[in-house]
Amino acid sequence: MTDHAIDVRGLNKSFGGRPVVRDVSIRVAKGRICGFLGPNGSGKTTTIRLLCGLLTPDSGSGTCLGLDIVRDAPAIKRQVGYMTQKFSLYEDLSIRENLDFVARMYGMANRRAVVEEALERLGLATRQRQLAGALSGGWKQRLALAACILHRPRLLLLDEPTAGVDPKARREFWEEIHRLAADGLTVLVSTHYMDEAERCHAIAYIAYGRLLAEGTVESVIGTSGLVTRRAATAEPDALAARLEGLPGLEMVVRFGGALHVSGHDAAAMDASLAPFRGDPAIRWSEVEPGLEDVFIALMAQAQDPLQ
Amino acid sequence: MRAVLSVRRFWAILVKEFVQMRRDRLTFAMMVGVPVLQLLLFGYAINADPKSLPTALVMGEASPFARAFLAGIGNSGYFRLVGGPVDEALADAMLVRGEVQFVVTVPSDFSRRIARGEHPALLVEADATDPAATSNALAALSRIAETAAVRDLGGVLAGQAARPPPFEVRIHRRYNPEGVTAYNVVPGLMGTILTMTMVIMTSLGMTRERERGTMENLLAMPVRPAEVMLGKIVPYILVGYIQVAVILLAARFLFGVPMLGSLWLLSLVLVAFIAANLSIGFTFSTVAANQLQAMQMAFFFFLPSILLSGFMFPYRGMPDWAQVLGEILPLTHFLRIVRGILLKGSGWAEIAPELWPLLAFLAVAMAVALLRYRRTLD
Ligand SMILES: Nc1ncnc2c1ncn2[C@@H]1O[C@H](COP(=O)(O)OP(=O)(O)OP(=O)(O)O)[C@@H](O)[C@H]1O
Ligand SMILES: [Mg+2]
């Protein structure tokens, strides 16, 4: 048996002739948290749906928890917790009724105890009679998470679980996810937040349906070949205007009172920056490129097949 | 100065509405389709003067008069003799089962009694559960008898052939002697109301899940199509029973509708009828993209159901193609069953021929629903 909870190769999916997921291969080791990143419309949700049997791939194959993603879809559903991007529990049922429903669907033997525990664990006990539709965004997310871990899945697929959630709740959310992973659960979580990506054991980056990078945060940054220079200045906007478009400078990004200038070709970049080095108003330093810079660079390099 | 109405904003809304209308092709097609269906059904299928009504004949004697009467009946256009002469018991059974609308009985010593001047009766029994279906035919009947009398008795029994005719046509309106329309309509309403509510309720079933986005979660869970379908259907069987109870109470105490047969038998048939409607509704809900489409499909089914089933207009008044269509609909068979049980006191044996088409419809509807059910979001 494989020691990967997710092991898929060459997944393809198109809608109406438009390829949305192209040749995607992902492996996630058991007990790991894998962040799934990519711009809007890059195919994250579609990939996750392929993994849990909600969509059938046009081609490609693989396993989730050792089960074939096409042939054993029903068996996979029993062991996977899928949290949808859009809230998809019943708004006209109360929190407890929703959890009861889910517990029944999975045929939980000790339903009451399981629901009770989930309510406690996520701090929903005091709100259990409230209708799900009346909950605020953050509370809906908590409820959705509670619902998808109710049946003690071995693999969690979370699609932007923290979108619209406040920082404190977000932190608690991640602590919960780490606790679950410590219990042996494998998690694939899509997100647009860089800080969340950095909390993951590994990340996968997808753009235009293609997987562009995979590995730990450090290795993704390391293998990107991106070089970043930081310029601290009193007037970053004026400097940015002058730097923009110079050869070798692929990205010029403002960070408060500083600019981050990045590119793949260090020599060309330094040649372009040389005239500014002598300016006493600018303090230059060399920094690690941020994950965000790497992603934006990756996206810029990738070809949109439609353009 | 501000105008009361901004033409630009009005135009903006108008354009948006047209764009949205164009997006939802099916809804648009239905808006055109429903009037066409209505026109066809009302224009071609509906006929309030039913002819060619099936009639059984009990011939006590084969006298020339009897034969002339028979010919007259055939020529009137209202009666269509079913097979040859039958005996009384069989004729009665045919009437209960609804195979014939009339039984005409010529007593055995009819000619002899006319000759003796005894003024005998020619018995015509009508299935009057639906008064509208029989009234014109019955009105025509005495005319036919008189003509036959003038023509044939004139020769054979010359002495008696004076006016008024030397016999009477005794009409016996079975099952609904006073011709009370409510006796026919109220049980029929039970079927109609059930059809309408049941189909609409379930047709919204899956589309609501889809529209609210709960479908994705539902499909992500290990649930089988049959479980979803039955789970969504069974609650409404209960609702259907509540409706039936209300209608039966009203039928009994407000309208005084007779209830001759077994209500247990009726309840049993109701399961099949309600489930058939629920399954067709569920099938619609697997096809419809949104709740509006589902409602329209339900209406598309409901319209022929009330028009072609014999609820609003006599079934036997419709042209053959309409009768064939009507024969497919569950309401048609249910109407015959419910009228049979309540008004005629039908039992198992009499309703069985109407029950199996209902069950067949149920089976097909469920099979289609399960075939149409998608387990993925593709
Ligand atoms: N059912 C569908 N029919 C047609 N196109 C679809 C369907 N589902 C997704 N798409 C298209 O596939 C592409 C990828 O969508 P997907 O939802 O997977 O992106 P995503 O990475 O999850 O984006 P986001 O970050 O905005 O959630 C999009 O261009 C979308 O329009
Ligand atoms: Mg998405």
Side-chain angles (χ1 to χ4, degrees):
Chain A
M1 282 300 283
T2 162
D3 52 352
H4 288 95
I6 298 176
D7 187 357
V8 292
R9 284 171 306 278
L11 290 187
N12 277 288
K13 180 76 188 173
S14 50
F15 290 113
R18 202 167 67 87
V20 166
V21 169
R22 299 189 296 159
D23 227 10
V24 166
S25 305
I26 302 181
R27 271 147 63 105
V28 181
K30 281 183 180 155
R32 303 259 108 181
I33 300 174
C34 177
F36 196 25
L37 293 102
N40 292 136
S42 55
K44 299 183 296 296
T45 300
T46 308
T47 305
I48 291 176
R49 286 175 176 164
L50 288 171
L51 292 178
C52 65
L54 274 181
L55 289 174
T56 326
D58 298 338
S59 66
S61 64
T63 58
C64 269
L65 301 168
L67 297 161
D68 188 281
I69 57 165
V70 178
R71 207 161 15 90
D72 304 323
I76 290 179
K77 287 178 184 176
R78 235 166 279 136
Q79 302 186 48
V80 169
Y82 170 42
M83 179 170 164
T84 55
Q85 179 170 1
K86 185 176 171 293
F87 184 71
S88 61
L89 288 167
Y90 295 92
E91 304 215 327
D92 46 358
L93 294 188
S94 73
I95 294 178
R96 173 181 278 275
E97 286 161 346
N98 267 303
L99 293 175
D100 267 332
F101 171 70
V102 173
R104 284 197 177 99
M105 284 295 260
Y106 287 100
M108 304 293 293
N110 44 347
R111 201 187 81 239
R112 260 167 221 286
V114 168
V115 170
E116 214 64 61
E117 191 204 315
L119 287 170
E120 287 303 327
R121 192 166 181 165
L122 284 128
L124 290 165
T126 53
R127 295 166 171 261
Q128 54 174 290
R129 308 241 168 266
Q130 205 169 328
L131 292 188
L135 292 172
S136 73
W139 281 101
K140 275 186 185 163
Q141 298 295 89
R142 290 189 203 200
L143 171 59
L145 184 67
C148 77
I149 59 173
L150 203 62
H151 60 292
R152 312 212 187 295
R154 291 167 56 210
L155 170 64
L156 270 187
L157 302 172
L158 307 176
D159 199 356
E160 297 192 31
T162 55
V165 171
D166 72 52
K168 179 166 171 289
R170 215 144 65 81
R171 180 168 296 173
E172 287 167 8
F173 209 104
W174 273 92
E175 276 161 14
E176 176 69 19
I177 288 176
H178 272 279
R179 265 200 301 277
L180 291 167
D183 292 348
L185 205 78
T186 311
V187 183
L188 179 72
V189 50
S190 81
T191 178
H192 289 297
Y193 296 111
M194 293 305 130
D195 62 311
E196 293 189 351
E198 282 163 5
R199 288 167 182 266
C200 298
H201 298 121
I203 56 172
Y205 184 80
I206 185 176
Y208 305 118
R210 270 191 205 290
L211 198 69
L212 299 181
E214 206 184 357
T216 61
V217 172
E218 294 75 37
S219 75
V220 167
I221 293 177
T223 54
S224 70
L226 203 66
V227 183
T228 302
R229 307 278 182 260
R230 176 188 161 93
T233 166
E235 289 180 33
D237 291 335
L239 179 60
R242 290 167 63 201
L243 291 177
E244 214 95 55
L246 292 180
L249 306 190
E250 292 166 29
M251 280 183 286
V252 179
V253 187
R254 290 161 193 75
F255 276 94
L259 287 182
H260 282 198
V261 184
S262 314
H264 285 88
D265 187 344
M269 201 161 73
D270 284 334
S272 292
L273 292 181
F276 301 93
R277 293 273 185 194
D279 192 334
I282 308 171
R283 261 197 354 272
W284 290 96
S285 57
E286 217 162 289
V287 293
E288 268 269 279
L291 201 51
E292 193 172 79
D293 298 320
V294 173
F295 289 155
I296 292 173
L298 280 172
M299 194 178 143
Q301 281 174 319
Q303 293 289 308
D304 185 339
L306 297 177
Q307 282 168 7
Chain B
M1 226 182 66
R2 289 173 55 194
V4 180
L5 186 135
S6 152
V7 173
R8 234 178 252 208
R9 282 195 296 265
F10 148 75
W11 188 249
I13 302 245
L14 183 131
V15 169
K16 176 198 72 105
E17 289 298 321
F18 268 118
V19 170
Q20 287 178 320
M21 199 189 291
R22 214 184 50 203
R23 282 289 125 75
D24 195 349
R25 296 263 167 79
L26 189 64
T27 298
F28 191 75
M30 291 269 202
M31 285 193 284
V32 179
V34 167
V36 170
L37 184 70
Q38 253 164 332
L39 276 172
L40 291 179
L41 293 186
F42 275 104
Y44 290 113
I46 304 311
N47 174 10
D49 184 20
K51 300 228 164 124
S52 283
L53 297 169
T55 305
L57 192 70
V58 180
M59 291 270 270
E61 59 167 33
S63 61
F65 168 76
R67 277 197 299 273
F69 183 70
L70 247 169
I73 268 187
N75 291 339
S76 74
Y78 280 107
F79 305 89
R80 178 172 52 81
L81 291 177
V82 178
V86 293
D87 67 32
E88 240 171 272
L90 181 57
D92 204 51
M94 289 167 89
L95 200 62
V96 176
R97 286 200 297 264
E99 287 166 22
V100 293
Q101 192 89 33
F102 300 100
V103 174
V104 177
T105 306
V106 182
S108 53
D109 48 358
F110 190 63
S111 316
R112 202 149 27 90
R113 290 177 64 194
I114 290 181
R116 282 199 234 120
E118 283 176 23
H119 210 76
L122 197 118
L123 184 64
V124 176
E125 292 165 282
D127 175 349
T129 45
D130 182 0
T134 48
S135 55
N136 285 352
L138 289 180
L141 203 62
S142 37
R143 247 188 356 260
I144 298 166
E146 277 164 32
T147 324
V150 171
R151 212 169 50 221
D152 289 273
L153 300 185
V156 182
L157 304 160
Q160 303 295 332
R163 219 160 282 186
F167 63 91
E168 65 173 309
V169 175
R170 190 179 295 153
I171 293 173
H172 192 165
R173 291 188 175 82
R174 299 274 301 270
Y175 316 123
N176 185 359
E178 289 102 48
V180 183
T181 313
Y183 288 5
N184 181 53
V185 170
V186 175
L189 264 177
M190 184 193 297
T192 313
I193 290 172
L194 284 175
T195 301
M196 187 168 65
T197 48
M198 294 299 113
V199 173
I200 287 181
M201 291 322 287
T202 38
S203 72
L204 298 179
M206 294 313 285
T207 33
R208 202 185 303 134
E209 301 263 1
R210 208 168 296 139
E211 268 189 24
R212 294 191 184 170
T214 52
M215 190 73 166
E216 191 175 1
N217 199 23
L218 190 66
L219 291 180
M221 292 192 272
V223 64
R224 295 200 179 86
E227 293 158 355
V228 176
M229 182 170 81
L230 291 177
K232 281 182 172 282
I233 282 180
V234 170
Y236 291 106
I237 293 188
L238 214 78
V239 175
Y241 268 111
I242 294 172
Q243 289 187 327
V244 167
V246 171
I247 295 168
L248 279 181
L249 284 174
R252 184 94 194 81
F253 297 107
L254 295 182
F255 299 101
V257 175
M259 295 182 186
L260 302 180
S262 152
L263 290 185
W264 291 116
L265 180 61
L266 181 61
S267 333
L268 224 64
V269 174
L270 274 166
V271 185
F273 177 64
I274 294 174
N277 283 309
L278 292 172
S279 331
I280 189 85
F282 190 82
T283 307
F284 291 157
S285 87
T286 59
V287 179
N290 54 50
Q291 297 193 42
L292 178 62
Q293 284 185 2
M295 289 284 288
Q296 284 177 312
M297 287 182 192
F299 190 69
F300 217 75
F301 178 73
F302 182 63
L303 202 60
S305 282
I306 54 167
L307 294 180
L308 301 185
S309 63
F311 170 71
M312 263 182 141
F313 305 98
Y315 182 81
R316 291 193 170 114
M318 302 189 302
D320 290 343
W321 62 265
Q323 292 200 11
V324 169
L325 280 181
E327 209 65 47
I328 298 170
L329 300 167
L331 183 57
T332 309
H333 300 284
F334 179 72
L335 286 184
R336 293 176 192 159
I337 293 175
V338 69
R339 287 170 181 166
I341 292 177
L342 292 185
L343 304 180
K344 301 179 179 177
S346 299
W348 264 116
E350 287 84 16
I351 63 158
E354 303 296 339
L355 190 56
W356 76 258
L358 209 58
L359 293 174
F361 185 94
L362 173 64
V364 171
M366 282 202 166
V368 172
L370 288 179
L371 280 178
R372 286 285 327 175
Y373 185 92
R374 291 276 153 266
R375 299 183 79 163
T376 61
L377 294 168
D378 296 83

